[in-house]
Amino acid sequence: MHEHDMPAGEHPANDHERTDADVRAIIKTGVALLALVMATGAGLRWCYLSIARHDPIAEEPVTGDPHERLPPGPRLQTMAARDMAAFRREEDAKLASFGWVDQSHRFARVPITTAIEHVAKQGLPKWPAKSEVKP
């Protein structure tokens, strides 16, 4: 609206644009979105509860014996932290001891500290040139 189109005595600083947004439409849209979110939550809760109540997997025994509900082993880890600690102790023991990796091919392991000292004193072995490598 231009200044010359306004009635006498009204100034644009004292008024607002009436054609920008329809407040009723915005409120209706907000209420509709709120109702949709609430209906979705209620529907999902109903689905979850009905599935949990009528779960065929939980009702049927896995092994065929109605008294035995657990499947036969192997079972999943129940104490993963303890199992990992035991695995690391075994690995550390291997890194700190002598032993055969493959005795028939004469592959042995040495403690890692011994291997590091050996390489520090004597260096790495020289690699053969490409022409010397046999397939």
Side-chain angles (χ1 to χ4, degrees), residues 73-111:
R75 304 242 193 301
L76 294 177
Q77 289 179 313
T78 57
M79 304 288 281
R82 185 188 65 192
D83 295 343
M84 182 57 86
F87 172 74
R88 286 186 177 162
R89 280 193 301 274
E90 290 173 14
E91 292 292 309
D92 289 342
K94 285 181 184 177
L95 287 173
S97 65
F98 290 95
W100 287 106
V101 175
D102 185 357
Q103 192 170 5
S104 64
H105 290 97
R106 301 182 48 87
F107 288 115
R109 76 171 174 267
V110 296

Side-chain angles (χ1 to χ4, degrees), residues 40-57:
T40 302
L44 287 174
R45 181 167 171 77
W46 176 79
C47 287
Y48 173 75
L49 292 176
S50 66
I51 288 172
R53 199 174 321 125
H54 303 292
D55 188 5
I57 294 174

Side-chain angles (χ1 to χ4, degrees), residues 9-25:
E10 289 190 23
H11 191 273
N14 296 334
D15 201 13
H16 63 276
E17 181 65 45
R18 298 181 196 281
T19 61
D20 277 350
D22 184 8
V23 177
R24 285 191 177 119

